[in-house]
Amino acid sequence: MSTLSAVEVTLVRGDITRQTVDAVVNAANSSLLGGGGVDGAIHRRGGPEILAECRKLRASHYGGGLATGRAVATTAGRLDARWVVHTVGPVWSAAEDRSALLESCYRTSLRVAAELGARTVAFPAISTGVYGWPMDDGARIAVRTVLAEAAAPVEEVRFVLFDAAAYDEFERALAAARA
Ligand code: AR6
């Protein structure tokens, strides 16, 4: 069992595409070819270089797309970051517990970022938008997984929350995890 990491976990309310970090995590879909929400914002602000690399990934190792819970990195284009780590969250289901897949998104994205040498990593609240995951549970899984898994060279994990409600849920989850 891992102890609480020395990695600093911070919360910011705002737009993930405005962050200065080494790696920005994208809540993508398995096509890797863009979409709405965070994905749309990252491609819009990051520019066509990101999509060009995603297309290359689809033409090589990821012909069938990126599986749910997995992660892969590309350039960050014009974002103030070195890499975008694309991950595919699970769609929320009331009938089936898909928490392990959401945990896997955070764990695998952290691993990919760490392998690249990232010291600062920004995450959105994966799956809590179009994919319908309840914010309280999504925040709990995000915080718990990052506290357990983040390790050197990562020094800071920053959750970038789009609105006050999301920020409050993450604040609650972080306080509960540290209690
Ligand atoms: N910065 C930070 N957070 C944001 C931003 C932003 N610029 N924009 C939205 N959010 P979503 P998902 C919040 O829908 O649920 C895409 O079409 C948003 O309020 O981006 O994993 C993909 O291509 C929510 O809390 O991702 C996939 O098809 C959270 O980020 C699908 O959506 C995640 O919302 C993925 O759905």
Side-chain angles (χ1 to χ4, degrees):
M1 166 146 170
S2 38
T3 53
L4 287 190
S5 61
V7 174
E8 192 187 358
V9 176
T10 55
L11 308 181
V12 169
R13 188 178 158 190
D15 179 345
I16 199 164
T17 68
R18 303 273 174 177
Q19 303 299 308
T20 301
V21 284
D22 291 329
V24 171
V25 177
N26 181 17
N29 61 64
S30 67
S31 81
L32 288 175
L33 299 178
V38 171
D39 200 9
I42 284 176
H43 283 285
R44 244 186 337 268
R45 194 166 169 79
E49 234 189 305
I50 301 175
L51 188 58
E53 262 195 49
C54 286
R55 286 193 201 285
K56 279 190 198 148
L57 288 170
R58 286 299 309 273
S60 55
H61 286 70
Y62 296 91
L66 182 66
T68 305
R70 304 284 302 276
V72 66
T74 65
T75 173
R78 295 197 290 257
L79 297 181
D80 196 4
R82 296 175 71 188
W83 306 283
V84 170
V85 177
H86 306 264
T87 190
V88 182
V91 175
W92 163 257
S93 163
E96 186 189 10
D97 182 5
R98 299 176 178 166
S99 305
L101 287 168
L102 188 54
E103 280 174 26
S104 175
C105 288
Y106 287 100
R107 190 174 56 247
T108 316
S109 298
L110 276 173
R111 192 178 306 149
V112 167
E115 279 167 6
L116 289 164
R119 294 201 291 189
T120 50
V121 183
F123 276 100
I126 299 165
S127 286
T128 64
V130 174
Y131 283 178
W133 207 285
M135 188 59 78
D136 56 349
D137 196 54
R140 195 178 52 79
I141 290 170
V143 163
R144 187 185 64 199
T145 307
V146 162
L147 285 173
E149 302 286 340
V154 177
E155 294 168 359
E156 183 197 351
V157 173
R158 189 180 309 167
F159 288 109
V160 183
L161 295 324
F162 213 39
D163 55 33
Y167 186 94
D168 290 349
E169 289 297 354
F170 271 74
E171 206 170 37
R172 248 192 295 278
L174 198 52
R178 284 174 169 157

